[in-house]
């Protein structure tokens, strides 16, 4: 068993949001599987086959979309150290929706193609798809950025409330500059008719001191149904079921409150 990726699933009420299970994706005998474990791990090496339950085989055709001539095939230069390859996460696979990862991946590529012809300094720069011999897309290339907003201000990854409580000294001018840059990026997205839907401190990176919005797998056109779209707990209004610009504006306000430590004003 070779573990490809693992993640943790949390659930419960907002005031009792606790660990539920680990999600394990592994390869064995040339096939890929998704399974659960009741244990928590600090490395892939700790995971044992006997820990796993509810195992499902993942069909490659359900995961990796076929490359289309309408997409950009990345042509990498000899110096590719400035590029980052985003690969599809297989952890969200569910047998009830076997094609969801592939369909989500196609939506992200479509968004990136639109952004490639309409670039903006506060939006991640897309370079094209990584295509393998069978014609399937196995990743998307972006410019590599320095660090996320989460890493810059909360490197210990304290939870949302604890971090905000500890924001005793804030460089308000710097925070205002970051927020203005993010707002410009959102205005550009919305002007193209798309909504990010998952704006949070891990989906904002920096190039120097310029904030850059990344991660477009939850991005959808205005009015799109969000019932099967991934969003980050604690950073979106769970009652919002349609892609609307107000989703992103509410998330930006939440980030502002978080950065300034105004916990009594949190919306969600």
């Amino acid at each position: 068993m070779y573990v490809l990726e693992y993640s943790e699933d949390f659930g419960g009420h907002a005031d009792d949001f606790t660990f539920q299970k680990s999600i394990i994706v592994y390869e064995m005998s040339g096939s890929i599987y998704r399974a659960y474990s009741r244990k928590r791990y600090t490395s892939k090496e700790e995971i044992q086959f006997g820990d796993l339950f509810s195992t499902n085989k993942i069909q490659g055709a359900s995961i990796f979309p076929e490359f289309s001539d309408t997409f950009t095939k990345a042509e990498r230069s000899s110096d590719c150290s400035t590029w980052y390859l985003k690969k599809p996460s297989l952890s969200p696979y569910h047998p009830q929706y076997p094609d969801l990862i592939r369909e989500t991946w196609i939506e992200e590529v479509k968004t990136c193609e639109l952004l490639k012809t309409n670039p903006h300094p506060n939006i991640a720069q897309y370079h094209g798809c990584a295509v393998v011999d069978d014609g399937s897309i196995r990743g998307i290339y972006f410019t590599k950025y320095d660090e996320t907003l989460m890493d810059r201000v909360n490197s210990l990854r304290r939870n949302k409330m604890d971090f905000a409580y500890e924001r005793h000294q804030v460089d308000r001018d710097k925070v205002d500059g970051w927020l203005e840059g993010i707002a410009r990026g959102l205005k550009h997205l919305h002007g193209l008719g798309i909504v990010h839907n998952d704006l949070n401190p891990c989906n904002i990176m920096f190039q120097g001191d310029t904030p850059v919005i990344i991660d477009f797998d939850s991005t959808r056109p205005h009015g799109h149904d969000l019932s099967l779209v991934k969003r980050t707990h604690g950073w979106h209004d769970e009652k919002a079921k349609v892609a609307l610009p107000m989703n992103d504006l509410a998330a930006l306000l939440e980030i502002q409150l978080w950065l300034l430590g105004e916990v009594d004003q949190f919306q969600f």
Side-chain angles (χ1 to χ4, degrees):
M1 179 181 75
Y2 177 72
V3 177
L4 299 172
E5 60 181 89
Y6 71 98
S7 59
E8 295 184 338
D9 179 37
F10 289 77
H13 299 293
D15 57 352
D16 188 29
F17 196 62
T18 58
F19 171 79
Q20 302 293 310
K21 58 185 177 294
S22 291
I23 305 171
I24 317 295
V25 178
Y26 65 94
E27 185 175 1
M28 180 178 283
S29 302
S31 297
I32 299 176
Y33 301 86
R34 194 283 330 265
Y36 298 137
S37 170
R38 295 296 182 193
K39 298 181 179 180
R40 303 185 75 174
Y41 306 96
T42 58
S43 70
K44 295 179 180 179
E45 290 69 30
E46 296 178 8
I47 301 171
Q48 301 296 317
F49 187 75
D51 298 341
L52 308 182
F53 67 95
S54 295
T55 300
N56 289 109
K57 185 176 181 179
I58 299 177
Q59 301 294 334
S62 299
I63 300 299
F64 304 113
E66 183 178 353
F67 180 75
S68 165
D69 289 340
T70 61
F71 298 154
T72 302
K73 184 176 182 180
E75 300 295 341
R76 304 188 71 190
S77 65
S78 57
D79 179 15
C80 55
S81 60
T82 60
W83 284 18
Y84 167 75
L85 178 62
K86 178 182 178 180
K87 298 181 179 180
S89 173
L90 307 185
S91 297
Y93 176 82
H94 194 288
Q96 187 176 353
Y97 307 105
D99 298 324
L100 183 59
I101 294 177
R102 178 175 56 82
E103 292 168 357
T104 298
W105 199 235
I106 292 173
E107 288 293 330
E108 181 162 13
V109 174
K110 288 180 178 178
T111 295
C112 290
E113 292 290 340
L114 178 61
L115 293 171
K116 186 174 177 63
T117 57
N118 297 274
H120 190 277
N122 297 110
I123 302 291
Q125 184 180 8
Y126 159 75
H127 297 288
C129 301
V131 183
V132 297
D133 292 340
D134 67 359
S136 63
I137 300 173
R138 296 301 177 99
I140 306 175
Y141 283 108
F142 294 94
T143 292
K144 184 183 294 184
Y145 297 100
D146 299 334
E147 61 184 343
T148 65
L149 174 59
M150 180 69 78
D151 289 333
R152 177 166 289 200
V153 303
N154 183 24
S155 59
L156 297 179
R157 296 296 180 104
R158 297 181 180 90
N159 67 44
K160 181 180 175 183
M161 189 68 71
D162 288 346
F163 169 79
Y165 269 128
E166 295 176 10
R167 298 293 288 170
H168 301 302
Q169 293 182 337
V170 178
D171 186 334
R172 183 63 186 256
D173 289 340
K174 180 171 289 189
V175 168
D176 286 347
W178 294 346
L179 295 170
E180 288 171 6
I182 299 165
R184 288 193 294 269
L186 291 178
K187 183 178 180 180
H188 183 72
L189 285 177
H190 298 162
L192 295 173
I194 51 180
V195 182
H196 190 280
N197 295 306
D198 194 26
L199 192 71
N200 67 75
C202 292
N203 284 344
I204 298 164
M205 297 197 74
F206 285 94
Q207 188 169 49
D209 211 35
T210 300
V212 178
I213 299 171
I214 66 166
D215 203 357
F216 306 107
D217 53 1
S218 300
T219 302
R220 295 293 185 276
H222 291 186
H224 196 284
D225 177 67
L226 297 178
S227 57
L228 294 178
V229 174
K230 173 190 70 66
R231 291 176 287 172
T232 302
H233 177 81
W235 296 100
H236 74 280
D237 181 355
E238 295 185 359
K239 297 188 295 294
K241 303 300 183 183
V242 177
L244 296 172
M246 67 180 66
N247 301 350
D248 293 342
L249 299 180
L252 180 59
L253 175 58
E254 193 77 352
I255 291 171
Q256 176 181 334
L257 298 172
W258 177 75
L259 286 170
L260 299 179
E262 298 176 1
V263 297
D264 57 325
Q265 301 295 317
F266 278 166
Q267 308 161 95
F268 27 79

